Amino acid sequence: MESRAYLLQALSPLHVGTGQSVGVIDLPLMRMRSTGIPIIPGSSLKGVLRDASASDTVRTDAVFGPRRAKNGPEGDEPSEYAGALVVGDARLLALPVRSFVGTFALVTSPLLLTLARRDWGGRQGGGEAPPPVPSLKKHRARVASLKSCVCLHEQAGGARVYLEDLDLEVDAEDDAVLGAWAEALQRALPGDERELLARRLVLVDDETMSFLWETAMQVDTRVSIDPDTGTAAKGQLWTEESLPAETLLMGVMAASASWSPKQAMAASAVLDAALGGQGTMLQLGGKATVGRGWCRLLSWTTGDAEARR
Amino acid sequence: MRKVLAALPRFEEMGPSHAGLAHERYAPQKDDESKDENSSPWRGWLSWMDGAREPEHYGVAYRRWRGALTQWHTASVEMRATGRLLAGHGNASPTGVGLTLHHTWGVPVIPGSSLKGVLAAYLRASFEPAEVAEACRRLFGVPGDERLGQKASVGQVLFHDAPWVSSRGKEGAGPRMLARDVLTVHQRGWYGKAESWPNDYESPNPVAFLSVRPGGRFLVALSVAPGADDETLRLLRWAADRLCEALRDWGVGGKTAAGYGRLEPEGSVVINPPRAVSRPSPERDAFKAWGEEQRAAKTEQRKVLEDFDAQWRPKLMPLSREARMECAQALRVLVRSPKLQERREELLRLLVDGA
């Protein structure tokens, strides 16, 4: 069994929803039950990945599992072999939050980084995963470098960040641990985009973060016009919540060697096949035909941040 | 928080750092009726918003978006607003007139859902229903209906949000994006309480708001998934051309009856075949490295071809089709002699199409 962390970067608003709600927002995002962290279920991602690699059927079946011979209940027979790939849920890692200074900040928190570290294989004690992040005082923020961060406002009492409606005090020293995280995440990105991430990464306490992932999301009002009346069709005025563009999510993929008798593949080859080339575009989640859910799948090159178990 | 933000350095000519946030969360109390331009915070805020420019690093995100579009069959065209543009005017806003801006970057954007809606309305009005029924079914999808035995199907074409085209230079801040605008209500009594018929004796009531400045450019793009057949690509081009017509003649967003929202295409619609992302493949990389060695050593081309047939072809056969195509292209570059061309193509056919 081999596992590898992956990174998903939203390039357009990403709506992976629950389909219904009783709240203010008609179509809310799917979230983790215990913490409320927005997630994309592994099953969504696995289906999209399978579809993207469908041109090479023998290999695809070995990686993702064989197709059913017949649709419906009569096709419910044990398959010859199992798929070699396991896709974990992608969990929010850094949320772009609008800022009065520096346009937006990529905001993360100790909880999100701790969960990400688990995906990274940090439990193995390998040197490659970034170090664990200590928790912060309430309503505080930290940045990797006070000098280069574009979201700070320097004033007499120290630097501050202004995120949406929040005014947070920034600790007066550079956070080396966050710096290590920024550097590790940068390695998954192409060269010209690295600065964008490093200069906007801001760490806030968990309570503030959970407030932000509840309230700082993109919420769009949508309408369908009835051609006969020119007004909203009946029941066709709704609000939907999305993860905004630039959101980073992280998850883990695991693989065993291929079980297929037709195609032998080592576990690492299965992961290579699933992750595809660097920066493969995928369409995830709902509202695809109005441009939602364009994501880029990124991973670290072999040996860079990979854990063998 | 308001006092804190008032202390932020505000460069009138630079505008807010995030136009969307400033528009939604930082408007002072409205006083359209104040006479004094200089002392009114509301007027000051409007002219500050008027100076909003493209933020730093947006160009990086825009180039990344253009790159992302090339991985699918995409019909794209840059369009220039010939007049003002106002999308999302129904959204809640301190000016009373909403404005759609990109959530993360704060630049103007035309939602893909608007473009899809405009095209649907344009096709409905410009063609006989029977003429475009099939095209509409494939473009927009249909809901299923059990009574009619109709199967639901999804639209095949993706209407992307049309983002602001980045034009920020190295040191310059780029052009201004938003402009102060005004609409004037002449019969407030009639719209409000309606106790009397509208008349000409009421004072006009100007309402200030913001709209997108004329001359703003947007990247309009429609996509279909890789692997589409020619028929679907023809549909894609047809849809893109009709959308251009609709945006030119009808406009998009609000107040189109007053001439808002007209967009003129700059150049014609371009459809590029999808560019596959290079997948990691050790055998392919080894073959390419071998090719480079042969080239450096100036090995005889006939020998290269023989070695390829004997050593490499069996090794490359199990690779994915994309990887084999790449290897084939590498060999074509390597072996160029006209005499060997026939033999080379024969071997490559075996490699790519399978024995």
Side-chain angles (χ1 to χ4, degrees):
Chain A
M1 201 76 170
E2 188 174 325
S3 71
R4 208 178 285 177
Y6 66 88
L7 205 56
L8 268 178
Q9 185 179 33
L11 302 191
S12 74
L14 173 59
H15 175 83
V16 176
T18 53
Q20 58 187 351
S21 87
V22 288
V24 180
I25 295 169
D26 299 312
L27 298 177
L29 288 173
M30 182 172 275
R31 293 165 195 275
M32 278 170 85
R33 197 174 172 84
S34 51
T35 53
I37 300 173
I39 54 163
I40 297 175
S43 59
S44 290
L45 184 58
K46 190 177 171 191
V48 169
L49 285 174
R50 177 176 194 131
D51 189 46
S53 66
S55 61
D56 199 339
T57 48
V58 177
R59 243 171 124 83
T60 304
D61 283 357
V63 173
F64 296 96
R67 285 153 295 170
R68 292 156 73 94
K70 283 182 223 153
N71 285 334
E74 61 267 32
D76 240 351
E77 287 163 356
S79 310
E80 279 175 74
Y81 55 93
L85 182 73
V86 180
V87 183
D89 296 346
R91 192 186 312 105
L92 180 69
L93 178 66
L95 180 71
V97 178
R98 304 185 291 183
S99 162
F100 280 101
V101 182
T103 312
F104 71 93
L106 278 167
V107 186
T108 185
S109 81
L111 174 66
L112 295 181
L113 293 183
T114 306
L115 293 173
R117 200 174 128 73
R118 207 166 67 182
D119 286 349
W120 218 307
R123 282 183 301 182
Q124 297 290 304
E128 285 137 345
V133 186
S135 61
L136 278 83
K137 269 192 264 174
K138 216 170 156 183
H139 305 313
R140 279 299 189 81
R142 294 176 75 100
V143 295
S145 159
L146 290 163
K147 220 163 124 191
S148 72
C149 182
V150 293
C151 308
L152 299 183
H153 179 229
E154 299 284 350
Q155 53 191 52
R160 307 188 80 91
V161 284
Y162 304 119
L163 305 174
E164 292 275 342
D165 288 353
L166 302 176
D167 168 14
L168 303 175
E169 192 179 336
V170 179
D171 287 355
E173 61 201 41
D174 290 353
D175 188 340
V177 173
L178 190 63
W181 274 92
E183 203 195 312
L185 294 174
Q186 274 178 2
R187 283 205 304 270
L189 295 173
D192 56 339
E193 291 165 33
R194 295 184 173 178
E195 197 192 354
L196 196 154
L197 179 135
R199 298 183 67 183
R200 288 193 158 84
L201 199 64
V202 172
L203 184 76
V204 302
D205 62 288
D206 290 327
E207 200 175 314
T208 306
M209 189 71 223
S210 77
F211 178 75
L212 288 171
W213 75 52
E214 288 296 336
T215 60
M217 290 301 181
Q218 176 168 353
V219 178
D220 297 291
T221 308
R222 299 268 313 276
V223 65
S224 170
I225 305 282
D226 185 335
D228 300 328
T229 61
T231 55
K234 195 168 168 6
Q236 295 291 305
L237 176 65
W238 72 99
T239 50
E240 62 189 38
E241 189 183 27
S242 327
L243 285 163
E246 306 288 341
T247 302
L248 289 175
L249 301 118
M250 192 172 174
V252 66
M253 277 188 211
S256 59
S258 161
W259 300 94
S260 164
K262 285 183 218 141
Q263 174 92 42
M265 283 171 101
S268 67
V270 171
L271 286 174
D272 282 343
L275 286 163
Q278 269 298 313
T280 308
M281 288 302 310
L282 301 171
Q283 193 283 321
L284 285 163
K287 315 294 170 194
T289 63
V290 292
R292 295 285 187 256
W294 269 47
C295 293
R296 189 161 67 164
L297 181 65
L298 299 159
S299 63
W300 287 267
T301 43
T302 314
D304 212 8
E306 185 185 358
R308 281 161 205 280
R309 292 179 185 176
Chain B
M1 184 79 182
R2 184 171 295 285
K3 273 195 197 132
V4 170
L5 292 174
L8 281 179
R10 265 189 18 187
F11 308 105
E12 291 295 325
E13 67 280 11
M14 291 306 289
S17 174
H18 191 297
L21 184 59
H23 186 246
E24 209 173 288
R25 297 281 163 92
Y26 187 51
Q29 196 168 15
K30 200 171 172 179
D31 62 349
D32 280 328
E33 274 145 53
S34 89
K35 294 278 181 292
D36 188 2
E37 175 86 20
N38 295 323
S39 67
S40 159
W42 169 248
R43 301 271 180 113
W45 176 81
L46 281 171
S47 56
W48 182 52
M49 289 298 296
D50 182 271
R53 286 159 210 269
E54 183 186 319
E56 194 187 354
H57 294 148
Y58 173 68
V60 176
Y62 178 73
R63 281 193 295 280
R64 182 185 60 199
W65 176 247
R66 288 209 76 132
L69 290 176
T70 62
Q71 290 192 24
W72 287 33
H73 291 286
T74 301
S76 65
V77 61
E78 279 183 20
M79 299 196 85
R80 201 175 67 85
T82 52
R84 288 168 181 274
L85 176 84
L86 180 64
H89 69 290
N91 295 341
S93 149
T95 57
V97 182
L99 179 64
T100 297
L101 296 168
H102 193 283
H103 180 90
T104 305
W105 287 101
V107 296
V109 63
I110 307 172
S113 56
S114 298
L115 298 173
K116 192 176 173 184
V118 164
L119 182 61
Y122 180 77
L123 294 182
R124 197 180 291 124
S126 313
F127 294 88
E128 286 296 322
E131 203 182 339
V132 288
E134 176 62 12
C136 283
R137 189 187 66 77
R138 296 181 59 188
L139 276 176
F140 308 118
V142 284
D145 192 330
E146 276 183 15
R147 281 171 306 159
L148 300 174
Q150 184 184 38
K151 268 194 173 169
S153 74
V154 68
Q156 290 172 344
V157 174
L158 272 56
F159 292 74
H160 296 290
D161 289 352
W164 177 260
V165 173
S166 170
S167 59
R168 186 182 165 117
K170 274 248 154 40
E171 67 288 333
R176 288 189 284 172
M177 303 186 295
L178 307 178
R180 291 174 71 161
D181 206 339
V182 68
L183 61 90
T184 307
V185 182
H186 278 83
Q187 275 92 24
R188 184 154 42 158
W190 167 246
Y191 287 120
K193 295 192 291 285
E195 279 174 359
S196 61
W197 291 102
N199 58 56
D200 284 347
Y201 309 122
E202 280 187 82
S203 313
N205 174 36
V207 177
F209 65 100
L210 292 153
S211 58
V212 179
R213 200 167 267 273
R217 284 155 68 227
F218 296 87
L219 179 70
V220 174
L222 311 180
S223 291
V224 293
D229 53 13
D230 290 346
E231 168 97 48
T232 312
L233 294 182
R234 271 198 295 281
L235 177 75
L236 178 67
R237 174 169 288 280
W238 183 81
D241 288 341
R242 297 294 84 71
L243 181 59
C244 282
E245 286 167 18
L247 294 177
R248 192 188 59 208
D249 300 341
W250 284 26
V252 64
K255 294 168 81 64
T256 45
Y260 281 54
R262 302 291 191 278
L263 296 157
E264 195 70 53
E266 296 206 311
S268 55
V269 176
V270 185
I271 298 190
N272 288 321
R275 183 176 54 81
V277 190
S278 171
R279 286 167 167 258
S281 161
E283 283 92 355
R284 179 201 63 203
D285 294 345
F287 174 71
K288 281 188 171 176
W290 175 80
E292 286 303 313
E293 274 170 33
Q294 304 308 311
R295 191 210 303 273
K298 298 217 171 75
T299 317
E300 202 196 334
Q301 295 197 351
R302 188 179 299 276
K303 168 121 176 49
V304 171
L305 213 52
E306 275 164 24
D307 286 351
F308 166 76
D309 190 25
Q311 295 171 15
W312 285 99
R313 205 163 56 80
K315 271 197 238 175
L316 297 177
M317 280 311 286
L319 297 188
S320 72
R321 189 180 161 83
E322 288 85 12
R324 281 179 281 147
M325 303 267 274
E326 267 186 73
C327 294
Q329 196 49 39
L331 190 74
R332 282 196 189 101
V333 175
L334 199 62
V335 180
R336 288 182 151 171
S337 160
K339 276 187 234 160
L340 296 172
Q341 216 161 33
E342 203 174 311
R343 173 74 180 141
R344 180 192 74 191
E345 287 307 312
E346 187 192 344
L347 289 176
L348 291 184
R349 228 183 345 267
L350 285 176
L351 175 70
V352 174
D353 300 333

